[in-house]
């Protein structure tokens, strides 16, 4: 069973702090790892994504760290703001096949306290 | 540039009924994927349509079917509704599989089965 395991289930961070969410995958054929942000009642929004040929990717306050040997990747949100309060999902897919279906983690509910 | 649109926003159906959900992909995208997101869970892949054909199906029964039209829009049909079908149904659009991996989600259709 292809799985992506995500932790923690929920996270409370003070404004200005660093939020860290971790994911682990099993299928070594996965080669695309996106993070999505979802607000209540909305669809997931693509935040940032990484491929295994790099160990880190940064976009603004969001950074993905990738450890290919450990089959793990994480999202770091620097200078967390109350507006970052949302559910975050990691995902994985395998490109080059008939489809690029996404396998999602179970989500992390982030609350940033002012 | 319009993003992914879905209709209707909300829907209430009775067990045993049939439902049709609609999706228009982001401009320039030719591939549509459907996902089911139960409350508190990550999205689960239902199937993907490309070139008006179902390319791959996730672990969903034949009660779930779909269609893609020449303009790349898509429909998801669910027959013989069960209480467990209550969920947020998400449509994601992307470029041709193999050319790009980014998938962009619509706002979803909230289906409630009573």
């Amino acid at each position: 069973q292809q799985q992506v395991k995500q932790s923690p289930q929920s996270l409370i961070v003070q404004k200005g702090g660093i939020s860290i969410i971790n994911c682990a995958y099993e299928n070594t054929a996965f080669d695309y790892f996106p993070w999505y942000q979802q607000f209540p009642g909305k669809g997931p929004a693509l935040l940032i994504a990484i491929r295994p040929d790099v160990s880190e990717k940064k976009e603004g306050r969001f950074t993905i760290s990738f450890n290919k040997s450990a089959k793990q990747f994480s999202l770091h949100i620097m200078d967390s703001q109350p507006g970052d309060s949302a559910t975050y999902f990691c995902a994985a897919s395998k490109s080059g096949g008939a489809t690029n279906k996404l396998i999602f983690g179970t989500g992390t509910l982030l609350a940033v306290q002012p | 540039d319009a993003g992914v649109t879905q209709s209707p926003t909300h829907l209430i159906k009775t067990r045993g009924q049939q439902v049709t959900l609609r999706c228009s992909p982001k401009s320039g995208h030719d591939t549509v994927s459907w996902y089911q997101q139960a409350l508190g869970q990550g999205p689960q892949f239902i199937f993907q349509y490309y070139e008006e054909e179902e390319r791959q199906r996730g672990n969903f029964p034949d009660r779930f079917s779909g269609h893609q039209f020449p303009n790349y829009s898509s429909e998801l049909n669910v027959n013989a509704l069960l209480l467990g079908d209550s969920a947020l149904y998400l449509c994601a659009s992307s470029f041709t599989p193999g050319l790009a991996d980014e998938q962009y989600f619509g706002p979803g259709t909230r289906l409630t089965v009573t």
Side-chain angles (χ1 to χ4, degrees), chain A residues 46, chain B residues 1-5 23-32 71-73 91-95 102-106:
Chain A
L46 180 61
Chain B
D1 179 21
V4 180
T5 60
C23 170
S24 290
K26 185 177 169 68
S27 178
H29 286 180
D30 57 8
T31 301
V32 172
N71 68 352
Y72 309 123
S73 66
C91 167
S93 77
S94 57
F95 288 111
E102 293 80 8
Q103 293 189 36
Y104 297 89
F105 285 83

Side-chain angles (χ1 to χ4, degrees), chain A residues 32 36 38 41-44 46 51 89 93-102 104-106, chain B residues 35 37 40-43 45 48 55-56 88 90 94 97-98 100-107:
Chain A
Y32 174 71
Y36 284 86
Q38 186 175 30
K42 306 293 185 183
L46 180 61
R51 296 187 184 282
F89 292 96
S93 70
K94 182 179 70 171
S95 53
T99 72
N100 53 354
K101 71 175 184 181
L102 291 167
F104 281 86
T106 50
Chain B
Y35 293 81
Q37 185 177 25
Q41 302 293 319
F45 176 79
Q48 184 176 84
R55 282 303 190 91
Q56 188 174 11
L88 181 67
L90 296 163
S94 57
D101 292 301
E102 293 80 8
Q103 293 189 36
Y104 297 89
F105 285 83

Side-chain angles (χ1 to χ4, degrees), chain A residues 10 17 24-26 34 39 41 46 62 71 83 89 94 99 103 106:
Chain A
S10 62
Y25 62 97
E26 298 177 355
F39 293 103
L46 180 61
F62 301 92
K71 294 189 289 185
F89 292 96
K94 182 179 70 171
T99 72
I103 307 297
T106 50

Side-chain angles (χ1 to χ4, degrees), chain A residues 48 50-51 53-58 63-66 76:
Chain A
I48 186 173
I50 198 168
R51 296 187 184 282
D53 53 344
V54 296
S55 60
E56 186 174 282
K57 182 175 182 180
K58 183 177 180 179
T63 300
I64 299 180
S65 296
F66 187 85
H76 296 234

